[in-house]
């Protein structure tokens, strides 16, 4: 079983749609959680941290369920510029593990 | 620019040659990570440093790979006797501590021909 698992997609949605991604992790001792965005042939860039109480940043909402060991990302009112790969990241005391990423394409 | 810097951006080398990449992390970041990424995959953990100490190495890091962070600032990743399977993007990231977000450099794209 992979340490961090994501649905690879692709998700193809029209502009304005709401889309949700899930991510599961295997290590219950994981301490910090993040969503990163990666554009084609570019480095990953931090999108948002994920807090236990859930958090929102504009059109993006992240949630953490420690009991079920999953993290989610909700994107509302999708824009063309949201097209990218979204990477779930789980930090343990020793290292930082990435999911394989979920590819999103927003179409006009 | 105070972000993470990686050099070179691109490297083409012949099979069997040695290559070395450099990463300059964000100043005052104690943690430095190296990852490898191939097309369609997420970044795979290679190794990380806490200051100058290399605290963990992935089993992906064969004997041909070595990384250093001699003064707790910049780091180098060396690959000896490169193989075609080493072709990938090598990413470096740094963070202030174990729990804070990490920031990535633009990566070094290695092509072994």
């Amino acid at each position: 079983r992979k340490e961090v698992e994501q649905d690879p997609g692709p998700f193809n949605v029209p502009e304005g749609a709401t889309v949700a991604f899930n991510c599961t992790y295997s290590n219950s001792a994981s301490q910090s959680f993040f969503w990163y965005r990666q554009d084609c042939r570019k480095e990953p860039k931090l999108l948002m941290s994920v807090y236990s109480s859930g958090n929102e940043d504009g059109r993006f909402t992240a949630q953490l369920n420690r009991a079920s060991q999953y993290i989610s990302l909700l994107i509302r009112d999708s824009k063309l510029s949201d097209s990218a790969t979204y990477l779930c990241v789980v930090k343990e005391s020793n290292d930082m593990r990435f999911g394989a990423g979920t590819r999103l394409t927003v179409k006009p | 620019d105070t972000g993470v810097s990686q050099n070179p951006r691109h490297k083409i080398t012949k099979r069997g040659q040695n290559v070395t990449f450099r990463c300059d992390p964000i100043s005052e970041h104690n943690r430095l990570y190296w990852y490898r990424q191939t097309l369609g995959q997420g970044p795979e953990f290679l190794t990380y440093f806490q200051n100058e100490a290399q605290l963990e190495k992935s089993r992906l890091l064969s004997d041909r790979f070595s990384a250093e962070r001699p003064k707790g600032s910049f780091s180098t990743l060396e690959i000896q006797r490169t193989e075609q399977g080493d072709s990938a993007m090598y990413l470096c990231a740094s963070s202030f501590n174990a729990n804070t977000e990490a920031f990535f450099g633009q990566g070094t794209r290695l092509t072994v021909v």
Side-chain angles (χ1 to χ4, degrees), chain A residues 2 31-32 34 36 38 41-46 49 87 91-101, chain B residues 31 33 35 37 40-43 45 48 56 89 91 93 95 97-102 104-106 109:
Chain A
K2 290 184 179 178
Q31 298 172 346
S32 306
F34 306 91
Y36 279 72
Q38 188 172 28
R41 302 180 77 84
K42 300 282 190 180
E43 76 276 19
K45 292 188 177 178
L46 178 68
S49 303
L87 298 162
K91 251 194 167 189
E92 302 163 9
S93 59
N94 291 336
D95 57 41
M96 189 165 64
R97 303 284 173 168
F98 284 76
Chain B
R31 289 232 163 173
Y33 304 85
Y35 289 84
Q37 187 175 27
Q41 300 298 314
F45 172 77
Y48 89 95
E56 186 170 336
M89 173 76 89
L91 291 162
S95 66
N97 63 32
N99 295 318
T100 55
E101 63 270 22
F104 281 82
Q106 292 179 301
R109 184 169 297 280

Side-chain angles (χ1 to χ4, degrees), chain A residues 1-22:
Chain A
R1 181 183 172 190
K2 290 184 179 178
E3 291 162 321
V4 182
E5 291 202 59
Q6 292 183 250
D7 180 345
F11 284 67
N12 297 308
V13 303
E15 270 187 293
T18 295
V19 62
F21 308 138
N22 291 324

Side-chain angles (χ1 to χ4, degrees), chain A residues 52-72:
Chain A
S52 297
S53 55
N55 49 298
E56 188 173 305
D57 183 2
R59 298 181 293 109
F60 300 85
T61 301
Q63 291 194 316
L64 167 65
N65 184 320
R66 284 190 183 269
S68 301
Q69 294 180 210
Y70 85 76
I71 307 150
S72 65

